[in-house]
Every structure is written in structure tokens, then in C-alpha cells.
Amino acid sequence: PVRSRLLKASRVVEVSLVLVLGVAVIGATLALAQKRDDYTFFDELIEVKRAISDRFVTAPDDAKLRDGAIRGMVEALNDPYTVYVPASDAADFNKDLTGEYVGIGASVGMQDGWFTIMSPLEDSPAFRAGLMSEDRVVEIDGVTTQGLSVDQCIDKLLGEAGTSVRLTIERSGVRQEVTIVRDRIKTRSVKGFHRSAADPNAWDFVIDPSRGIAYIRMTQFTPGVTEEIVAALVAAGAEQGKLKGLVLDVRFNPGGLLNEAEDIADLFLKDGVIVSTKGRAHAEEITRAREPGTLPDFPVIILINGQSASASEVLAGALTENNRAMALGSRSFGKGSVQSVLTMQSGKGSELKLTEQGYYLPSGRSITRRDDSPTWGVDPSPGFYVPMTDEEIIAMLEVRRREEVLRAASPTGSPAAPSTEERWNDPEWILGHLKDPQLSAAVRALQSKIDSGSWTPPGSTQEQKSAIAAEELRRAREVRDRMIRELERLDRRVTAIEDGTDSSKDQALSSLWADTIDPTGGTIEIKDKNGNVISRLNITGRDLERWLMDADVKPAEEGTRN
């Protein structure tokens, strides 16, 4: 079958083993010495615990003391990716890690102060019950949601598979009760550019039908995502040989399971190193690709940005360093470490996500981002550096969010008819509608490659390295400047307190205008003390108020504002 041919049967794993030979008596002696050292480690901790338990002014909470001690050890490692997860948080942690949970299956949020369905998920109880985007959930099992946080409402929707939850939904001013049976939800990690008109649970992947160019976006490397990728490739025509070019999008993908990244890379590679891993407690392991089941050699572009991390970087690095794909976008995040999730046997369900290994690209380079390193992560291929402004990213994400909404079928049971203005078979219209400069550049580069047989880089190959460095420097300076301004504000408050002066002026500057006002598209006039206009500025985003909060300004007196 096609699916079994596309999925690799196996990978060749080369393991470098280091054998340590020793006399059994010496080994036993060393083990005993190690055990004594472990026990000695706890001596002072036990002494501190006893002193707190016996003499602290109020009776301490032993559970909090234990969690605090564990968190202290983890934080001392100075590794942001090693995390202690107490038993109470383990369910949420594993939900984020695997994309699996038991509930009704819906994307939710707050809108106008009410708990609201943003979109039901594919093949979910919420979709089958007829929930729609923008449905207001006013009650859950007879309890009002008004005044509750999103997390509190979500907790009420989660539960055991097979149990029911009763929702009171308000839609267009009309309230109705809906009873939904909870089920195990597996969120999909693979998406296209538009939901299928034939089946709203499915996605359209072929973005240029005449040239056979497909677009596949992966949001996370969850368990089974390789099978989702294979299904998307089949839907795009891989089994009939219709797939002639592919845009694989891992932007904003934080990573996930390393083996899934290896399996997906193996689909595209006939041979060569995919990735290698090694750590203090692990022998080096090199994962290589094998030819059986490899996809045809059509051109591929993988989209990356500063939020492409971990497994996303493994995949991008494997494809680009083996000359199988072009990477387009901006430099990736730079997370080159592998974590294992360990269940603490004595913790009643607590877990430790522990960094045990580092991974290395086929070239042997680590992609880990370090403070003293000028480069990290995976860079775009030469000539394929296509940065996006914050405004462009916001516009693109707004369109993406709208396209992800799962629309209910019409009363007749057929999918809702598309707008007469929509042209989902027209690549140019699609690219304009999606407002995604990086995707547009990728599709046009693939079109040129298919039409002419050679790549036409959308950017300059000569200035790319310096341009990437300049952008990273700009962002680093921006963060530093924000921190400096905050420190200056704190210094002013400290000085005011020390001098005994009134600091209420500084504290009162908490809002310059109502939060509902969006100044984007407006203008600012700056005048000198004589009223002469010395500068006019266009407002390009919503962050103006936050920046003015840090500036040497204050609201003008009533009657003098312009």
C-alpha cells in the first residue's frame, strides 16, 4: 500500500559504545562510596528541615517545603528546559506535550468578558454537537461562567471519557442547552492553508494545482504526527505522482518528540545522517536515513523563524544540510537539547523533564543558543532570508486564525457555500488573501524551480549573513533598552521614597487612554513649548501606549490637549 511505502520500515542507528572493565570488588567499593556521598548530600537538608519543623513561628506545609527544595535543585542547574512538574500539574503538562486529553474538543477563550467557543476541533464531540465559533458558554452544568477565568471554565469541561457535561449556549441572543459526552481528544498537528469545501474536518493542501505545489504546516511534533504528514502527502497527490513541489512550514513550532522529527526527515532522505545525540549518561547515537520508502525527489522549501525550535530545527537542519531542501524565513530559535520525562516513583505522579543529551546536525554542529555565541540555530539557505515585520506577522496570524475556524455545516447538511469573492484554485489570489510574505516567497521560488529547473533566490546571497546578524542585534538591543527603561523607572521611585517626596505621579501613569482604543493608523504631533510642530509620526501598531509609559511624558492638563 502507498501509505506503508511512504512510511520507512526502519532506521539505521549507529551506536558508539564505551565499555568499562573493572574488578567486581572495586566496583562494589565505588558503588558503596557513591551511596555514602548521596546520603551525606542530604545531611544538611535534613537538619534545615528539622529546624523549620520544630522552631518556625507557624507550622510549615511539608508538601510545599518538599516542592520548594526540589525546584531549588532544578533551578540551580541553570537550564531553562529542565523542569519539575508536581503531581497536581502533571495532567496539563502531558496534555501540552502529547496533544491528548479528555474533554469536548474545542478551542476556547474570553470574548467580551464571556467564556467563548473560538472553534470546535476536527472530529470532536463539540463539533458533532453542533457548537459553532463565537458561541457564548453562559453556564456549565448549571453554574454560570460569568466571573470565572478561562482555566476555571476549562477545568469544568475536562473529565472522564464517557461522562456528560451540560452547556448553556447563547447564539445570536438565543440561549439553548447542549449536552456533550466527553471523549479522548487528540489534537491534530498538521494543517493546510484552507479547510476543505467538501469536508470541513479536512484541509486543502494543494496551493498551486497547475504545478502540483502543496503546502503543509506542522504545529508540533506530537505522537503520531508522521502519520499525519503521510496522510497530508497522500491527499496532496504523492501516491499518483502529482506532487511536484512542497512548502513544509514549521514556523512557530516549538518542537516535541525527536523520533517524530527523525521519521519525517527519513521520508525525504535516501541516505545520510539525520541527527546525532550524546550526553554524559548516554553513548553517542547517530540516526541515519535509509532509501526504502523515500519520497520522489521533488523540490522542497521548509519555512523557519525565530519560534522554530528543537525538533523543528532537527528536521530543518537534516533536510538543508543533506541538500534536500531550501530553508526560507529567518534564523531558528536555537534549542539543541534533548529532554526525557521521568516519573518520580515516590512523588505520587510528579514528573521531571530532564535535559540528558544534546543533539547535533549532520555537520556535527550544535545549534544551541548560548550567550557568548554570535550564531546558533538553523539559518535560511543563501538567498532565502526573508524577514517579516511585527505588523506583517500579526496580519498573517489573524488570517490564519480565521482559516482555522471549523464552520458548522448548513441546515441541509452540506458544507457552507464559499463566498463568490473567494478563488481557492487561484494561487495568486490565495497568496494575497493569506498575507504571508514568507509563504509567497516560497511558492514563487518553487514555481520558478519547476518552470525553469533552477532556483531563483528571493533575497540577496551576499548580504544575508550580515542582515541576519543585524536583525538579531536589533532585537537584543530592543530587549536591553526596555530593561534599562524599567530600571530607570524603579530608580526614580526609589529616589522619591528616599527623599520623602510624593511618587504618586510616577505611579499614577498606568494608562494614557482606554484599553479599547486602537491608535493604529493614527498620527502623533510633537510640539515645542511655543506650539511649533517639530515632528509628525505615523502610528503603526498598538504598542504606542506601552512605550510612552517609559518616556518623559505625562497627560496634558484638561483644556490644553490637542
Side-chain angles (χ1 to χ4, degrees), residues 313-520:
E313 297 171 290
V314 169
L315 178 58
L319 296 184
T320 56
E321 291 198 354
N322 283 288
N323 298 314
R324 181 62 186 88
M326 294 291 187
L328 186 149
S330 53
R331 177 180 288 173
S332 64
F333 182 82
K335 179 184 179 294
S337 56
V338 182
Q339 287 75 42
S340 299
V341 179
L342 309 175
T343 300
M344 300 293 99
Q345 298 300 322
S346 57
K348 297 181 180 180
S350 62
E351 296 176 337
L352 181 66
K353 187 176 79 164
L354 181 67
T355 299
E356 292 191 299
Q357 302 179 77
Y359 58 70
Y360 300 83
L361 297 178
S363 61
R365 181 176 68 87
S366 171
I367 64 169
T368 299
R369 180 177 188 154
R370 295 187 174 90
D371 291 342
D372 59 352
S373 175
T375 60
W376 59 83
V378 178
D379 277 349
S381 302
F384 286 76
Y385 172 58
V386 180
M388 287 176 64
T389 66
D390 291 343
E391 291 75 23
E392 288 173 329
I393 292 173
I394 291 171
M396 179 266 289
L397 291 177
E398 286 179 348
V399 175
R400 177 184 290 185
R401 179 180 58 82
R402 290 197 298 270
E403 293 302 328
E404 287 185 350
V405 172
L406 187 56
R407 309 289 179 185
S410 67
T412 62
S414 60
S419 166
T420 55
E421 297 179 357
E422 297 178 354
R423 302 194 302 275
W424 292 107
N425 287 321
D426 180 352
E428 288 303 312
W429 181 89
I430 293 172
L431 295 179
H433 171 76
L434 296 178
K435 297 182 180 180
D436 187 342
Q438 291 173 340
L439 175 57
S440 295
V443 170
R444 292 194 172 100
L446 281 172
Q447 290 170 338
S448 175
K449 173 69 172 175
I450 293 170
D451 292 345
S452 68
S454 59
W455 289 107
T456 302
S460 169
T461 58
Q462 296 180 345
E463 301 175 356
Q464 175 168 310
K465 188 173 181 179
S466 60
I468 293 174
E471 176 62 16
E472 295 294 344
L473 181 60
R474 183 191 69 79
R475 292 185 180 277
R477 283 175 170 169
E478 185 178 87
V479 173
R480 183 191 63 182
D481 290 346
R482 289 178 180 176
M483 295 178 67
I484 289 174
R485 284 196 300 274
E486 184 60 28
L487 287 173
E488 289 175 346
R489 175 184 291 180
L490 289 173
D491 283 342
R492 290 197 299 271
R493 292 183 179 179
V494 168
T495 300
I497 295 171
E498 289 176 342
D499 293 345
T501 58
D502 183 10
S503 63
S504 59
K505 175 182 68 174
D506 202 39
Q507 296 173 355
L509 200 58
S510 59
S511 180
L512 299 178
W513 52 76
D515 293 341
T516 56
I517 296 176
D518 181 3
T520 304

Side-chain angles (χ1 to χ4, degrees), residues 120 126-133 171 196-201 405-417:
F127 180 74
R128 292 191 292 270
L131 292 191
M132 298 172 59
S133 174
R171 181 186 303 163
S196 169
D199 178 5
N201 283 292
V405 172
L406 187 56
R407 309 289 179 185
S410 67
T412 62
S414 60

Side-chain angles (χ1 to χ4, degrees), residues 150-363:
V150 171
D151 289 340
Q152 289 172 320
C153 293
I154 290 175
D155 287 343
K156 293 181 178 295
L157 296 178
L158 302 178
E160 298 294 327
T163 61
S164 298
V165 59
R166 189 177 77 259
L167 307 183
T168 301
I169 299 297
E170 184 177 295
R171 181 186 303 163
S172 301
V174 178
R175 294 192 178 190
Q176 57 181 307
E177 282 196 358
V178 179
T179 298
I180 303 176
V181 178
R182 297 181 179 95
D183 200 354
R184 181 162 295 280
I185 306 299
K186 172 66 172 72
T187 57
R188 296 184 189 176
S189 297
V190 171
K191 304 178 186 295
F193 62 90
H194 175 65
R195 290 197 179 274
S196 169
D199 178 5
N201 283 292
W203 286 89
D204 286 337
F205 298 105
V206 181
I207 200 166
D208 185 341
S210 64
R211 295 182 177 87
I213 297 174
Y215 168 79
I216 297 176
R217 174 163 62 93
M218 194 167 18
T219 61
Q220 196 172 356
F221 289 82
T222 51
V225 71
T226 304
E227 280 132 19
E228 291 187 50
I229 288 289
V230 169
L233 291 167
V234 170
E239 60 181 344
Q240 299 96 1
K242 296 180 179 179
L243 183 58
K244 303 299 183 182
L246 174 66
V247 179
L248 187 58
D249 190 350
V250 293
R251 293 174 298 174
F252 305 100
N253 186 324
L257 300 181
L258 178 63
N259 67 295
E260 296 288 349
E262 294 170 340
D263 289 343
I264 293 169
D266 199 27
L267 290 173
F268 295 90
L269 298 173
K270 294 180 180 179
D271 52 30
V273 173
I274 294 175
V275 68
S276 61
T277 59
K278 56 186 175 181
R280 186 168 60 92
H282 297 267
E284 182 178 20
E285 188 173 292
I286 302 174
T287 304
R288 298 181 182 274
R290 291 190 66 191
E291 185 172 358
T294 303
L295 290 163
D297 193 21
F298 50 77
V300 178
I301 290 180
I302 186 166
L303 296 181
I304 57 175
N305 67 2
Q307 286 73 49
S308 303
S310 191
S312 295
E313 297 171 290
V314 169
L315 178 58
L319 296 184
T320 56
E321 291 198 354
N322 283 288
N323 298 314
R324 181 62 186 88
M326 294 291 187
L328 186 149
S330 53
R331 177 180 288 173
S332 64
F333 182 82
K335 179 184 179 294
S337 56
V338 182
Q339 287 75 42
S340 299
V341 179
L342 309 175
T343 300
M344 300 293 99
Q345 298 300 322
S346 57
K348 297 181 180 180
S350 62
E351 296 176 337
L352 181 66
K353 187 176 79 164
L354 181 67
T355 299
E356 292 191 299
Q357 302 179 77
Y359 58 70
Y360 300 83
L361 297 178
S363 61

